[in-house]
Amino acid sequence: MADKDVAVKKYVVRLSTEGRAALEAAIRKGKSSAQRLLKARILLKADVSEAGEGWSDSRIIKALETSVSMVYRVRKQLVEEGFEAVLSRKQRATPAVSRIFDGEKEAKLIALACSKPPKGRARWTLRLLENKVAELGIVDRASDSTIGRTLKKTFSSLIAGSNGSSRRRPTAPS
């Protein structure tokens, strides 16, 4: 308790009894992600309420082997967004990779991949599909990895749905 130096901090952590109990229970169980457990520990150490330890940021950083920015962000998020926001993962506003093939375009890609390959070819390759979707104007351009990812998702779900298993059946030796 002697280490409670509440300097003029912009984001002061004051936890309720219920909040402390929830954080302590989460740490005791240890079933949460490492990131969530670290945030819980930071909040418990930074708490300046009667039950709290009120550690300084430097002491928290040293004890928990974390960074200045992590402690700052946790304090800030608690004050600005609330208790639940600190412990839950922030949802992305946009996906990491935007989808090029939405419903209709994906259907056209699948139909193309299921069609007969170009003359002189035994099967469609990702490179051939890449060129053909641009030529047909399905999309302006797409990489072979995007096409492969789209087809893998589609065909793996079709295969799994047809017989309940996504594994290929072995062929009889000839």
Side-chain angles (χ1 to χ4, degrees), residues 73-113:
R73 283 192 317 265
V74 170
R75 285 177 174 278
K76 180 179 178 183
Q77 192 173 23
L78 177 74
V79 171
E80 291 181 352
E81 299 175 37
F83 187 74
E84 281 303 314
V86 175
L87 298 179
S88 62
R89 292 196 73 163
K90 185 178 178 181
Q91 295 295 317
R92 291 182 68 112
T94 58
V97 178
S98 59
R99 292 183 58 193
I100 297 172
F101 294 99
D102 57 358
E104 185 181 333
K105 292 174 183 175
E106 187 173 317
K108 288 179 181 179
L109 171 64
I110 293 166
L112 178 63

Side-chain angles (χ1 to χ4, degrees), residues 167-173:
R167 298 180 64 173
R168 289 186 187 187
R169 293 184 189 179
T171 55

Side-chain angles (χ1 to χ4, degrees), residues 22-140:
L23 292 172
E24 288 167 348
I27 291 171
R28 252 192 324 276
K29 287 180 186 174
K31 296 282 184 174
S32 298
S33 69
Q35 181 92 356
R36 187 176 176 157
L37 293 174
L38 175 61
K39 288 179 177 183
R41 286 185 177 97
I42 289 170
L43 290 176
L44 287 170
K45 300 296 182 196
D47 182 20
V48 295
S49 68
E50 288 297 316
E53 299 178 45
W55 282 14
S56 67
D57 287 1
S58 58
R59 187 169 175 201
I60 294 170
I61 292 162
K62 188 180 271 185
L64 301 179
E65 296 181 350
T66 188
S67 66
V68 174
S69 61
M70 179 65 165
V71 174
Y72 176 79
R73 283 192 317 265
V74 170
R75 285 177 174 278
K76 180 179 178 183
Q77 192 173 23
L78 177 74
V79 171
E80 291 181 352
E81 299 175 37
F83 187 74
E84 281 303 314
V86 175
L87 298 179
S88 62
R89 292 196 73 163
K90 185 178 178 181
Q91 295 295 317
R92 291 182 68 112
T94 58
V97 178
S98 59
R99 292 183 58 193
I100 297 172
F101 294 99
D102 57 358
E104 185 181 333
K105 292 174 183 175
E106 187 173 317
K108 288 179 181 179
L109 171 64
I110 293 166
L112 178 63
C114 292
S115 70
K116 191 173 180 177
K119 191 173 184 177
R121 297 291 189 155
R123 63 184 180 92
W124 282 103
T125 64
L126 293 177
R127 186 61 47 100
L128 287 171
L129 286 169
E130 175 186 349
N131 295 332
K132 196 67 172 177
V133 294
E135 179 185 317
L136 294 173
I138 296 172
V139 293
D140 293 333

